[in-house]
Amino acid sequence: MDWFTRNVVEPGKLPLLVALASFVLTFLITRTVTRLIRAGRGPFRNVTTGGVHIHHVVPGVVLTLVGGFGALGALGSGSHTAAGLVCAVAFGAGAGLVLDEFALILHLDDVYWTEQGRKSVEAVVLTAALVGLVLGGFSPLGVDALTPEERQDRANLLATLGLNVLFVAVALLKGKFRMAVLGTLLPFVAVVGALRLARPGSPWSRRAYRNRPRARARAGLRAYRHDRRWVRLARRFQDVVAGFPDRLPSVTRDGHGPGTGDGDGPGTDEGDGRVSGDGRWTGDGDRR
């Protein structure tokens, strides 16, 4: 209890902790409800009005606005008041609803149960990690690593911020978005991302490796090994938390659409081959 008071209550981080708890809990409850609706279980149903499906990002935006503006209004009376904590709960719940449909906002399409919909889970996990780091006392761009005397030195402060911003920007150009975002709070993560080889297809790779075939090949091999090691684990985590995405139906060679699948998988066409989920032709033909 002393640790909680000293590290959360006294620094004024209680509303942030409440908002984070509300954010994570809302996301988990929302995913549970949507999976039950998808499976046709329980009393839950999609909300529609006038034939229009109301996505939960809509009440999420409302709660985020109410919680955000309400929290600003509660600052004058202290952030630990009941009103401030209620606003923190509303803001966290709204943010959870909004980011649960982050992929819909990004693609401007209902991709909730598709491969693109996995981006929503990534956005939620990344946001929760960043807020957790802030609760742990980390400040953006390495400011927390400076002593009060160093912060008073304007040149030293600007040099530290500029250098860390540079590492974050290079990591972004090298196609390492997660490392760049985490690097805003953990500068050494951005340094690692900036020093390692760029991912294939990134702006840095297209520009710097244009006339360097060996570097381009090494970058491709490293990306392949990294993805083979970690992407499968990430997908399993996303499937457990958010549910399995819809699988594309198999397509016969003559392009006449799905075969005899039951809707949960590729089906069992009797054609000579089919198109797999990643776009490659598989079957008797020699197309890949």
Side-chain angles (χ1 to χ4, degrees), residues 2-52:
D2 291 339
W3 178 90
F4 180 80
T5 302
R6 184 173 60 255
N7 293 279
V8 176
V9 177
E10 291 180 355
K13 296 180 180 179
L14 183 59
L16 185 61
L17 176 62
V18 171
L20 176 60
S22 176
F23 171 77
V24 174
L25 187 61
T26 299
F27 169 72
L28 294 177
I29 292 175
T30 302
R31 279 288 167 170
T32 301
V33 171
T34 54
R35 292 172 73 173
L36 290 174
I37 294 174
R38 186 190 191 194
R41 300 175 182 174
F44 306 105
R45 295 293 182 270
N46 288 323
V47 179
T48 59
T49 176
V52 178

Side-chain angles (χ1 to χ4, degrees), residues 165-210:
V165 168
L166 177 63
F167 285 131
V168 170
V170 172
L172 278 174
L173 291 175
K174 288 191 171 185
K176 302 179 179 182
F177 175 76
R178 299 179 190 86
M179 298 187 75
V181 173
L182 290 175
T184 58
L185 293 175
L186 300 173
F188 70 89
V189 175
V191 172
V192 173
L195 295 180
R196 291 174 65 87
L197 289 169
R199 288 191 63 87
S202 65
W204 188 284
S205 176
R206 292 195 300 267
R207 188 86 180 204
Y209 302 160
R210 183 186 307 171

Side-chain angles (χ1 to χ4, degrees), residues 26-219:
T26 299
F27 169 72
L28 294 177
I29 292 175
T30 302
R31 279 288 167 170
T32 301
V33 171
T34 54
R35 292 172 73 173
L36 290 174
I37 294 174
R38 186 190 191 194
R41 300 175 182 174
F44 306 105
R45 295 293 182 270
N46 288 323
V47 179
T48 59
T49 176
V52 178
H53 172 55
I54 305 299
H55 291 273
H56 49 266
V57 68
V58 176
V61 170
V62 175
L63 284 173
T64 302
L65 291 174
V66 171
F69 283 113
L72 290 175
L75 287 178
S77 58
S79 59
H80 291 181
T81 61
L85 295 179
V86 169
C87 290
V89 171
F91 180 83
L97 291 172
V98 170
L99 287 188
D100 185 51
E101 295 206 297
F102 171 78
L104 181 148
I105 301 172
L106 179 64
H107 294 279
L108 293 179
D109 194 11
D110 189 1
V111 294
Y112 195 82
W113 294 117
T114 67
E115 285 290 331
Q116 292 90 340
R118 293 177 182 268
K119 291 183 175 65
S120 297
V121 183
E122 295 181 8
V124 169
V125 172
L126 193 58
T127 300
L130 291 174
V131 177
L133 289 173
V134 173
L135 278 171
F138 292 91
S139 298
L141 301 175
V143 176
D144 58 307
L146 299 176
T147 64
E149 292 76 15
E150 290 174 327
R151 294 179 190 178
Q152 293 297 325
D153 185 351
R154 184 172 300 178
N156 191 8
L157 177 62
L158 292 178
T160 301
L161 291 175
L163 186 61
N164 289 331
V165 168
L166 177 63
F167 285 131
V168 170
V170 172
L172 278 174
L173 291 175
K174 288 191 171 185
K176 302 179 179 182
F177 175 76
R178 299 179 190 86
M179 298 187 75
V181 173
L182 290 175
T184 58
L185 293 175
L186 300 173
F188 70 89
V189 175
V191 172
V192 173
L195 295 180
R196 291 174 65 87
L197 289 169
R199 288 191 63 87
S202 65
W204 188 284
S205 176
R206 292 195 300 267
R207 188 86 180 204
Y209 302 160
R210 183 186 307 171
N211 299 319
R212 298 172 58 191
R214 293 184 62 182
R216 192 163 58 245
R218 285 175 54 212

